[in-house]
């Protein structure tokens, strides 16, 4: 008996392997500072918990519509439209078990085997995994360092586009590098999509996870509404990562296909969790602001320390909860050529656990800088200080 051949093309979120190594080190009695996982160590707001419990007590425990319960679809259409300065009809909203399922279902809807999909690399690793698993050609575009962060390598994006390219994945505000598009960059991506008549998946998982400035969606640019599927999630904004609630906002023809896929795969998203989603959207928004205040403080503490570590450089990101410092010179100083070895040795010497650039897509030809990703969403400010101070001392004494 053999397993299916396509499994050889299935990737994963290798960050979970880093979590296992960290857990193993901790189980051996060592102190660990968790900077590896993009999860929050902050609780779901009490009124959301109450709404979920009330829904269970009220018997909202059976099957419900595959595209989501109507009041949640209405609340999402209203909230997502308003925050993007546009309007959506509830039948364009398809509720899912988190934001992640939108990726694979979008690709199944628009990409036949052999067709190409442009995607960010470094980027959320599930893009590359799902494109290849479903038999497509993964066409990466990278980022270039700028004076205040990173910019999409638009030339590379244009050069990677072939006659067989059918879709583009765009993640603004970006995991892992915290990049944020300028208006000009967003327009250039939209122009590429229009010119080549591409479907676009706009991954807006971090749309409201920002400390300064305002977010904008590529879906609202001219010619984009009819080709763009927005990935929305409750995971970050409402600290609901484990509740698994998100949605796609899509042109009607795609929305109806996504809904049928839901019926095939899950039947529906957990019924009572959807009622908690309504409470999250329509209830008190102060917990969201409070959480962003906590995260902003962590960002500032982490940035200052990282920038003081010999050879490490980072710009202060205005959004998400990741730092993506350039560690090329740190590695040189430590006499190491391999960023994975650096991560392992850092864990064993200091307890600081983090992912590297390699966890976010296959490195591209010509890449000559090394980066690590530090997530500050799951670690308190005091532990950030303690952990990064230990990392600094270890590097200084090398
Ligand atoms: N997109 C990006 C860019 C992410 O970072 C994540 C989660 N880390 C997701 C999508 C998936 O979010 P969810 O947990 O809601 O499935």
């Amino acid at each position: 008996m053999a397993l299916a051949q396509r499994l050889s093309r299935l990737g994963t979120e290798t960050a979970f392997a880093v979590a296992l190594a960290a857990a193993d080190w901790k189980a051996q009695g060592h102190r660990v500072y968790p900077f590896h996982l993009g999860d929050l160590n902050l609780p779901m707001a009490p009124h959301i918990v109450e709404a979920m419990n009330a829904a269970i007590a009220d018997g909202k425990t059976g099957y419900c519509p595959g595209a989501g319960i109507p009041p949640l679809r209405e609340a999402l259409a209203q909230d997502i439209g308003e925050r993007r300065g546009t309007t959506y009809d509830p039948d364009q909203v398809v509720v899912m078990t988190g934001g992640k399922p939108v990726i694979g279902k979008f690709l199944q809807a628009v990409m036949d085997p052999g067709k190409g999909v442009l995607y960010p690399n470094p980027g959320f690793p599930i893009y590359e995994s799902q494109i290849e698993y479903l038999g497509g050609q993964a066409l990466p575009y990278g980022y270039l360092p700028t004076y205040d962060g990173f910019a999409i390598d638009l030339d590379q994006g244009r050069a990677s586009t072939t006659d067989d390219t059918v879709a583009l994945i765009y993640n603004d505000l970006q995991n892992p590098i915290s990049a944020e598009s300028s208006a000009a960059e967003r327009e250039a991506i939209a122009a590429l999509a229009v010119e080549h008549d591409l479907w676009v998946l706009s991954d807006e998982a971090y749309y409201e996870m920002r400390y300064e400035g305002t977010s904008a969606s590529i879906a609202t640019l001219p010619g984009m509404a009819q080709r763009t599927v927005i990935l929305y999630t409750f995971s970050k904004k409402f600290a609901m990562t484990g509740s698994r609630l998100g949605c796609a906002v899509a042109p009607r023809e795609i929305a109806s296909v996504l809904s049928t896929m839901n019926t095939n795969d899950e039947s529906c998203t957990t019924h009572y969790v959807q009622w908690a989603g309504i409470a999250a959207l329509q209830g008190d928004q102060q917990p969201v602001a409070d959480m962003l205040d906590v995260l902003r403080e962590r960002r500032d503490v982490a940035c200052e320390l990282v920038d003081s570590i010999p050879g490490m450089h980072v710009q202060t990101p205005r959004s998400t909860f990741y730092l993506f410092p350039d560690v090329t010179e740190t590695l040189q100083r430590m006499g190491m050529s391999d960023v994975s070895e650096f991560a392992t040795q850092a864990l064993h010497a200091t307890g600081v656990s983090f992912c590297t650039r390699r966890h976010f897509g296959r490195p591209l030809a010509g890449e000559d800088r090394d980066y690590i990703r530090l997530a500050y969403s799951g670690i308190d400010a005091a532990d950030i200080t303690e952990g990064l101070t230990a990392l600094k001392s270890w590097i200084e004494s090398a």
Side-chain angles (χ1 to χ4, degrees), residues 13 38 97-101 103 124 127 171 173 175 203 205-206 231 233-236 241 244-245 322:
E13 250 189 271
T97 56
K100 195 182 253 179
I103 301 167
F124 190 47
Y127 309 143
N171 178 210
L173 317 171
N175 175 14
D203 183 337
Y206 297 90
L231 178 158
T233 178
F234 289 78
S235 294
K236 319 288 176 183
T241 49
R244 311 309 304 143
L245 188 63
Y322 305 109

Side-chain angles (χ1 to χ4, degrees), residues 15-226:
F16 287 106
V18 180
L20 280 180
D24 188 43
W25 189 243
K26 195 172 171 182
Q28 291 176 43
H30 303 284
R31 180 74 197 269
V32 166
Y33 300 94
F35 288 91
H36 50 269
L37 218 51
D39 202 355
L40 291 146
N41 66 341
L42 300 163
M44 203 161 87
H47 70 278
I48 307 178
V49 176
E50 277 162 27
M52 199 181 300
N53 286 336
I56 296 172
D58 195 30
K60 303 286 196 298
T61 49
Y63 291 127
C64 63
I69 55 173
L72 178 60
R73 295 175 81 190
E74 275 161 34
L76 281 164
Q78 163 76 23
D79 186 84
I80 295 172
E82 200 173 289
R83 290 176 191 279
R84 284 157 185 75
T86 185
T87 51
Y88 292 112
D89 207 76
D91 65 12
Q92 291 182 262
V93 175
V94 182
V95 176
M96 300 204 191
T97 56
K100 195 182 253 179
V102 179
I103 301 167
K105 286 176 180 167
F106 164 82
L107 291 169
Q108 289 180 67
V110 305
M111 185 198 77
D112 278 314
K115 297 296 183 185
V117 176
L118 294 156
Y119 73 104
N121 180 345
F124 190 47
I126 299 307
Y127 309 143
E128 193 174 83
S129 168
Q130 285 290 312
I131 296 166
E132 296 191 338
Y133 180 60
L134 295 166
Q137 287 178 52
L139 308 172
Y141 62 84
Y143 289 77
L144 302 168
T146 64
Y147 74 97
D148 66 347
F150 293 91
I152 292 177
D153 187 344
L154 288 163
D155 289 339
Q156 193 177 40
R158 291 187 196 104
S160 299
T161 312
T162 64
D163 290 344
D164 275 336
T165 305
V166 293
L168 181 151
I169 300 177
Y170 174 61
N171 178 210
D172 178 36
L173 317 171
Q174 217 262 20
N175 175 14
I177 67 179
S178 291
E180 176 184 332
S181 281
S182 63
E185 181 176 276
R186 198 174 301 111
E187 282 160 22
I189 291 287
L192 181 69
V194 171
E195 182 188 340
H196 294 275
D197 201 18
L198 307 177
W199 292 104
V200 172
L201 174 66
S202 180
D203 183 337
E204 300 180 9
Y206 297 90
Y207 194 82
E208 280 136 319
M209 303 304 287
R210 66 152 62 244
Y211 314 105
E212 288 107 28
T214 41
S215 297
S217 173
I218 197 169
T220 61
L221 294 180
M224 296 306 289
Q226 64 268 37

Side-chain angles (χ1 to χ4, degrees), residues 275-289:
W275 287 96
I278 297 172
L281 292 170
Q282 296 179 343
D284 185 8
Q285 298 301 300
Q286 193 55 40
V288 178

